[in-house]
Amino acid sequence: MSSFLLVGKPNSGKSSLFNLLTGLNQKIGNYAGATTEKKSGKLGSYQVLDLPGLKSLRAVSAEEEISKREILNAVASQTPVVFVVNGMQLEDNLMLFSEIADLQIPCLVAINFKDDLEKNQVEIDHLNLKDQLGCPVVLLNSRNGDGVSILKKMISSNLFKTPNAVCRSLYDEIHDQVIVNKYQQRVADFTISKTQLDQNDFFKRQKIVGSIARSNISDLSRTNLFLTNTKKWDRFLLHPFYGILFFLITILIVFQSVFYLSGIPMDWIDAFFAKVTEWGRASISLPWLADLVCDGIIPGLGGVLIFVPQIAILFFLLGVLEHSGYLSRISFISNRLLTKFGLSGQSVIPLMSSWACAIPAIMSAKAINDPKERMAVILASPLMTCSARLPVYTILIAIMVPATDSGFFNAQGLLLMMLYLLGVLATLLVAWLVSRRNLVPGNSMWSLELPVYRVPNWRNVFYNVYSKTKAFVVDAGKVIFIVSIILWALASFSPQSDLFIQEKYQSALSANGSDESEKKVSLDAVKLEYSYAGYLGKTIEPVIRPLGYDWKIGIALISSFAAREVFVGSLSTIYSVGSEEEALIQDRLVNEINVITGKPRYNFATCLSLLLFYVFALQCMSTVAIVRKEVGNWKYPIIQFLFMLFLAYVFALGGYIAFS
Amino acid sequence: MTQIALEEGERAIVIAISGTMEFQNFMLTNGISLGSVITKNYSPSFSKLINFSVGGKMLSLRVEDFSHLEIVKI
């Protein structure tokens, strides 16, 4: 299959164009040997590879290095490039294009944001530009698709053409009376701290590109209306008082919305799984299979999938903040605060991505120039509250704080926000500790580009929500499916004989009375207690008892070391095994009795202790694996795992003692 | 000249870039070179950042990094 690369500077609208070209035919993976997200898709017979945005082939960040490597690989295979240009920054963007043109790869230039050009009454003579660049040029708008069909036709007709070289001749060297060009070699060997950037190259490039840009833009003196409006908004949004107030209100609205808007779809999903369970019991004739499906798999999957609306809403709102241009302002206003913790405004986006998942956050930390800061973000970001914690928090908060019908603002949302803030605080303190340890040498390079404010491109926002929610469901679903089956088996089978269980049941009966409903509960409880899962939970019970947990919670804790969200699925499975009731998992937890005290097991202190445990514990094997991949050894992920487990235990113990 | 003398909305031309080679390379990859025209934007002092426009984009640098740019008001 033929392929082409989508290349461009940051904020050139490259990802919007990628979404338009490929639709839902996208695949998100990783680059070989790296954790940077690799987005590829299909357009007809072409494979499209969306490269991370880069400012120059003289790469600074690890992410830019990956784009550079892919572009250099394309030289040998003559893989064509669609170069995306932000039309409002023609000269700046053509500087990067000129570097690629000198590699002599077949190209096609797509000048994006046609609507911005029209609104600013700026015209680009793309036909003349085509002649000057030496390859086809198309004007388009990746926001509404205007001109994209022309680009598609040009791609399908394979109209890629090798552009005119700009400074390539500067790198000609004579060896044995043969001219050898060293440009590609120089680009490949460039290291920002060791290589003197050729000033001749830069100024010649700037001169030629400047002249091309000037000769093709109708009016250079015209003020960019978007930039002017953005500057006006920035006076408010970057203001030391109003800006920070706006930021806090925005974050409050985000968390309140996660609870407020998700109620109805969560009820639908719950009702759907209740129906599926009902249907499963009625239609599966094999009793063991019916038990496996209805007590193991469905409660396990349903217990997590019910939280998809909340996760999708969180991704949607974070996407709106990002696509509106506001996320970069958060970097700006938080820079000084973060500096005190050894970070900078550059860390905000990876850290806020951690609210979705620590894995993409650790991946996006590659864009941070300073290796020391990058290390701090990698080691601290798993403390930010990821979406996998959300199901755990939601269920425990619902038990701790009764739902109030007081409109948009409610106590549950406030408690959730406090947990998120606790995660942020813990992250900052750990980042501060890591940055003071000088684990890796630092780098002082730092800059922040503030994009203009825009109404978000809804298509992009929805693609983002779709791809990330899908990844959550598929990745979590696989783990939960396997863990549910294992847990069901462990909870359904016992190393003891039936006779032993019957004896225990009889002694429980004589202790509890002879009421029919109690008989049922006692038999189920006895079976679970003497199952493999019961023995496993009891083995760790002495360690977790000081935290207010029993062996059943112990089973869920152990299983959720694979992934946090498994906790809810595991509880669903544990409390479903042997139970005839189709009650909500939340109701089952509320009704669970502590056999020692005779009071509810899930009281305020236990729930708080569990919440604090999940705030700090690194219960995600995928994160551990990604950290190992990023830092290149097992030392730091192991230290990170043990340190976070220690914090989790100490805080959970403190919380339980304080409130029990 | 330092950024202190440059008020919001004022324009200046970069006449020299000091600092390490790494910093100079970094500035070039950000589109800042000798002759670049910059316009200072709203930069609240609490942020310790200087926000300015260059080449049609808005860029922020730390105050101490920005001081490596020798600029002349135009």
Side-chain angles (χ1 to χ4, degrees), chain A residues 55-56 58 60 89 92 190 192-197 199 202-203 206 227 230-231 234-235 238-240 244 332-333 335-336 369 443-450, chain B residues 8 20-34 36 39 41-51 53 55-62 65:
Chain A
K55 292 175 183 169
S56 164
R58 273 76 167 192
V60 177
Q89 297 170 7
D92 187 64
F190 180 83
I192 189 159
S193 57
K194 292 179 187 156
T195 317
Q196 180 73 53
L197 190 63
Q199 298 279 342
F202 189 84
F203 290 123
Q206 201 177 37
L227 212 54
T230 295
K231 285 177 187 175
D234 276 346
R235 289 197 60 80
L238 300 181
H239 191 274
I244 292 171
F332 188 97
I333 57 176
N335 180 65
R336 188 169 178 184
N369 297 334
N443 168 350
S444 59
M445 303 296 102
W446 191 89
S447 70
L448 173 71
E449 192 176 333
L450 299 176
Chain B
E8 186 188 340
T20 61
M21 183 173 66
E22 190 177 4
F23 179 76
Q24 292 180 33
N25 279 339
F26 184 61
M27 288 297 102
L28 288 176
T29 58
N30 274 293
I32 301 167
S33 63
L34 305 187
S36 293
T39 308
N41 300 328
Y42 177 62
S43 308
S45 57
F46 84 97
S47 66
K48 300 253 176 172
L49 296 172
I50 300 292
N51 178 20
S53 304
K57 62 177 185 247
M58 289 169 74
L59 202 66
S60 294
L61 289 179
R62 288 187 292 226
D65 289 340

Side-chain angles (χ1 to χ4, degrees), chain A residues 175-434:
Chain A
H175 291 282
D176 300 327
Q177 296 184 320
V178 177
I179 297 174
V180 180
N181 191 278
K182 295 278 183 183
Y183 175 70
Q184 191 184 337
Q185 193 61 45
R186 286 287 294 274
V187 170
D189 295 343
F190 180 83
T191 315
I192 189 159
S193 57
K194 292 179 187 156
T195 317
Q196 180 73 53
L197 190 63
D198 195 334
Q199 298 279 342
N200 281 341
D201 170 296
F202 189 84
F203 290 123
K204 187 178 174 189
R205 204 176 286 284
Q206 201 177 37
K207 204 173 162 185
I208 295 171
V209 167
S211 140
I212 292 173
R214 279 189 294 277
S215 65
N216 291 294
I217 295 182
S218 58
D219 188 354
L220 275 172
S221 62
R222 196 172 286 279
T223 313
N224 182 343
L225 292 174
F226 294 98
L227 212 54
T228 310
N229 288 335
T230 295
K231 285 177 187 175
K232 282 182 193 162
W233 276 103
D234 276 346
R235 289 197 60 80
F236 170 70
L237 294 172
L238 300 181
H239 191 274
F241 177 74
Y242 299 114
I244 292 171
L245 186 68
F246 183 84
F247 166 65
L248 293 175
I249 291 171
T250 305
I251 296 301
L252 180 70
I253 289 172
V254 166
F255 294 122
Q256 289 294 330
S257 305
V258 166
F259 263 95
Y260 185 75
L261 301 175
S262 60
I264 294 170
M266 285 174 82
D267 288 344
W268 290 342
I269 296 172
D270 186 49
F272 170 77
F273 276 99
K275 284 273 173 208
V276 172
T277 309
E278 213 173 275
W279 172 84
R281 287 206 189 281
S283 14
I284 303 172
S285 52
L286 285 172
W288 69 267
L289 189 61
D291 283 351
L292 169 62
V293 172
C294 300
D295 294 340
I297 297 169
I298 296 175
L301 286 178
V304 172
L305 291 179
I306 197 168
F307 298 100
V308 164
Q310 291 190 333
I311 287 158
I313 290 166
L314 181 67
F315 285 139
F316 172 77
L317 294 171
L318 287 179
V320 169
L321 294 183
E322 186 185 350
H323 290 275
S324 63
Y326 182 62
L327 212 52
S328 300
R329 270 69 189 182
I330 296 176
S331 295
F332 188 97
I333 57 176
S334 61
N335 180 65
R336 188 169 178 184
L337 174 73
L338 290 178
T339 308
K340 294 184 193 306
F341 296 96
L343 303 173
S344 75
Q346 253 185 347
S347 302
V348 161
I349 292 170
L351 290 180
M352 285 186 71
S353 306
S354 302
W355 280 340
C357 178
I359 294 166
I362 291 166
M363 290 172 182
S364 60
K366 273 196 175 292
I368 299 171
N369 297 334
D370 185 355
K372 194 170 150 186
E373 185 180 343
R374 199 182 308 143
M375 179 64 113
V377 169
I378 289 169
L379 295 182
S381 58
L383 280 160
M384 295 286 281
T385 301
C386 65
S387 55
R389 284 179 174 103
L390 204 53
V392 183
Y393 287 0
T394 310
I395 202 156
L396 293 170
I397 288 172
I399 297 169
M400 285 170 78
V401 184
T404 49
D405 198 17
S406 54
F408 186 72
F409 290 96
N410 62 66
Q412 292 185 340
L414 283 174
L415 181 54
L416 180 72
M417 189 177 150
M418 282 164 69
L419 289 168
Y420 271 74
L421 288 176
L422 183 61
V424 171
L425 192 66
T427 305
L428 293 177
L429 290 174
V430 170
W432 176 76
L433 273 176
V434 174

